Amino acid sequence: MSQEQPRRQQGDQADPIKYGDVFGVSGELGEKAVKPEDADMMQSAETAVLGKTQKGGPAAAMQSAANVNVSTGLVQPGDVTDVAAREGVTVTGTAVPGANIITESVAGQVVAQYIQPTGGPTQGGSGGAQQQGVTGGSGGGRQQGGGGGGAGAAITIGQALEATAKTIPGKPVDQCDAAAIQAAEIRATGSNVITPGGVAATAQSAAAYNETMMRDEDKVKLGDVLSSATTVLPADKPATRQDAEGVVGAEILNKQDMSTTPGGVGASVTVAARMNERSQQQS
């Protein structure tokens, strides 16, 4: 799992433990103190989707940080972080063959993504069915979705792209995303020729368009480009470690911190490849 326990100890802090001390988040959220009601919201969201609070998971880490903040008098019992209350806390489970990809977010920023095996291929539609627990924001504490994912023995690159569309649908497409999507399409189809009107071409156009837009709300999002990837791709294949390495390499090529986007294209293809390797080892 990608989350960490609070890095600072109670005795050596002058400020409350902030989200940026606990998770790899940035911006307004990273500077906010973790508060008790935030942890309660995450506990409710985890329980809605997973049936219980996860040991060592984001809710537990948030509760630990909030407890320290309360015990030092830096926040009060019952306090809630404004950005968390406004934008909500979510836990989503995207069904793929043999597993659920669990993504936990606070105020739209991914704080953890991990695999929850289901013991075998899921039954039903074309993959990517989703459960979602939402608290705070406009969610009001609800559970959505359910059902099975795609039948089959392995997760395809197209399914991994669709998982990205469900995990961070509101992220504006940038050049790093477009490069990763192009690498994914090439590996899925086995051809270096980019399909006109396909996911890679659409992502490149979206990235170029977004560079001319000032406001994020006016930009084309990953959910717009990738939600139907399995039907748009002219060919598809199970994701492998080599595929994941190629997609990740393309994504980080132009990023200063050389990291993938949490829940993004590279991360999703990597999760798919790991699941496929695990399935092969167990068969």
Side-chain angles (χ1 to χ4, degrees):
M1 296 174 64
S2 61
Q3 75 281 349
E4 300 176 5
Q5 295 298 319
R7 300 184 187 117
R8 294 182 295 174
Q9 299 299 316
Q10 178 178 340
D12 57 22
Q13 69 174 47
D15 298 312
I17 295 175
K18 301 175 182 178
Y19 276 95
D21 300 318
V22 184
F23 305 111
V25 298
S26 59
E28 180 183 8
L29 179 64
E31 296 302 315
K32 295 291 186 178
V34 183
K35 297 182 178 179
E37 286 299 309
D38 306 1
D40 288 346
M41 288 193 294
M42 183 61 85
Q43 288 172 358
S44 295
E46 284 189 357
T47 301
V49 173
L50 305 173
K52 62 181 179 180
T53 300
Q54 298 301 289
K55 183 178 180 180
M62 290 166 65
Q63 187 64 64
S64 176
N67 287 344
V68 172
N69 289 340
V70 169
S71 68
T72 55
L74 296 169
V75 304
Q76 298 301 311
D79 280 358
V80 61
T81 303
D82 54 357
V83 65
R86 183 175 69 246
E87 300 184 35
V89 170
T90 63
V91 176
T92 61
T94 302
V96 295
N100 287 320
I101 299 174
I102 306 299
T103 304
E104 305 196 31
S105 304
V106 178
Q109 295 199 50
V110 176
V111 296
Q113 186 177 50
Y114 51 97
I115 299 166
Q116 186 182 64
T118 57
T122 53
Q123 303 298 316
S126 60
Q130 189 178 60
Q131 284 188 313
Q132 184 175 46
V134 184
T135 54
S138 61
R142 65 184 185 270
Q143 183 173 358
Q144 299 177 329
I155 306 167
T156 69
I157 292 173
Q159 288 174 322
L161 293 178
E162 289 187 356
T164 301
K166 292 178 171 63
T167 300
I168 49 173
K171 180 188 182 299
V173 180
D174 60 24
Q175 291 294 343
C176 294
D177 298 322
I181 293 167
Q182 179 173 324
E185 179 176 301
I186 287 172
R187 290 181 172 274
T189 63
S191 171
N192 288 323
V193 178
I194 301 303
T195 305
V199 289
T202 302
Q204 187 58 59
S205 296
Y209 172 81
N210 286 349
E211 289 178 347
T212 69
M213 296 290 104
M214 295 296 293
R215 303 186 308 170
D216 280 355
E217 54 263 40
D218 297 328
K219 296 179 180 180
V220 181
K221 311 301 194 299
L222 281 174
D224 302 322
V225 174
L226 298 178
S227 60
S228 301
T230 55
T231 58
V232 174
L233 286 170
D236 203 358
K237 65 180 285 292
T240 66
R241 180 184 300 182
Q242 292 73 27
D243 296 328
E245 290 172 351
V247 172
V248 167
E251 181 175 335
I252 68 176
L253 185 62
N254 296 312
K255 293 187 72 172
Q256 290 186 343
D257 61 2
M258 298 293 287
S259 65
T260 57
T261 299
V265 176
S268 294
V269 176
T270 298
V271 168
R274 288 173 180 168
M275 276 304 305
N276 291 343
E277 284 190 349
R278 179 179 299 177
S279 178
Q280 290 176 351
Q281 291 169 358
Q282 294 175 347
S283 62

